[in-house]
Amino acid sequence: MKKLFLAVAVLMIAAVSTVNAQTKFLRFGVKGGANLGKLDGSGFQDGFKLGYHLGAFAQVNLVKGFGVQGELVFSSTKAETTDNYSDIYKGVSTAEDRKKINLNYLSIPLLANIDLGTPRLKLQVGPQFGALVSDKKVLGAAKEAFKGGEISGVAGLWLQLPIINISARYIIGFNDVKNAESVVTTSNWKNQSIQLGVGVSF
């Protein structure tokens, strides 16, 4: 997964450089805001928990009404296990009940930008590749509970003002991020998040 992550990053940079040389239209920017995330799976509390995200982006307009956008985003959310977590998973101690977990990802969304009647408002859809950068050993000192990477789908809206941009998107994980051997027979663990952001475009 880490090799795939690096390969996607290199390809994205190469593609943006090539298109920029041909179209001469490239916009950069930075953004940040709230990250409302939750971990779907047995033993975790339901509901979104507040975190944050920070990142940078590059936009390329390919033709009128359509472009692409690549980003590098650090996002942080929290999850919390239920009171009966140790009853659900074998070999897990009661110390894991009601345990708070920090999930920090470094993600690369690769999005299509589709104008919705005006260049100011865009529909954004595409895949996102993420690498977990927080401590994966949350189920005891020697057990890595989470896989190192995930693949997600992104859909949202982007409002481009003269300098400021405002975005709202929904992100849903496609793959099971569970890695602990003691929980392989239970339900999948998948991330979901809602990102609300404000940024500056150059």
Side-chain angles (χ1 to χ4, degrees), residues 31-32 34 53 57 59 69 71 111-126 153-161 164-171 193-199:
K31 68 188 192 77
H53 72 276
F57 65 88
Q59 290 180 338
Q69 179 166 322
E71 300 179 359
L111 307 175
N113 283 343
I114 304 169
D115 290 359
L116 296 178
T118 170
R120 295 288 188 193
L121 184 62
K122 303 177 186 295
L123 171 67
Q124 296 187 315
V125 292
V154 180
L157 296 174
W158 181 280
L159 177 62
Q160 183 64 60
L161 302 176
I164 303 297
N165 58 73
I166 301 171
S167 60
R169 62 183 55 164
Y170 175 69
I171 305 169
S193 63
I194 298 171
Q195 285 186 351
L196 304 173
V198 177

Side-chain angles (χ1 to χ4, degrees), residues 89-90 92 139 142-146 178-186 189:
Y89 300 119
K90 296 180 181 180
V92 175
L139 297 181
K143 296 178 181 178
E144 288 193 349
F146 296 93
K178 178 176 75 274
N179 192 55
E181 294 180 359
S182 60
V183 295
V184 294
T185 59
T186 60
W189 296 355

Side-chain angles (χ1 to χ4, degrees), residues 133-156:
V133 294
S134 59
D135 189 1
K136 296 179 286 183
K137 297 177 181 178
V138 295
L139 297 181
K143 296 178 181 178
E144 288 193 349
F146 296 93
K147 293 179 180 177
E150 71 167 355
I151 301 174
S152 308
V154 180

Side-chain angles (χ1 to χ4, degrees), residues 65-142:
F66 179 81
V68 294
Q69 179 166 322
E71 300 179 359
L72 183 64
V73 180
F74 175 85
S75 61
S76 177
T77 57
K78 295 177 174 62
E80 188 170 343
T81 60
T82 57
D83 291 327
N84 63 338
Y85 191 81
S86 58
D87 296 330
I88 298 173
Y89 300 119
K90 296 180 181 180
V92 175
S93 72
T94 56
E96 308 302 330
D97 294 343
R98 298 286 295 187
K99 185 172 184 178
K100 294 182 179 179
I101 301 169
N102 291 322
L103 296 173
N104 300 321
Y105 281 89
L106 188 62
S107 302
I108 296 180
L110 300 174
L111 307 175
N113 283 343
I114 304 169
D115 290 359
L116 296 178
T118 170
R120 295 288 188 193
L121 184 62
K122 303 177 186 295
L123 171 67
Q124 296 187 315
V125 292
Q128 175 174 287
F129 306 91
L132 184 64
V133 294
S134 59
D135 189 1
K136 296 179 286 183
K137 297 177 181 178
V138 295
L139 297 181

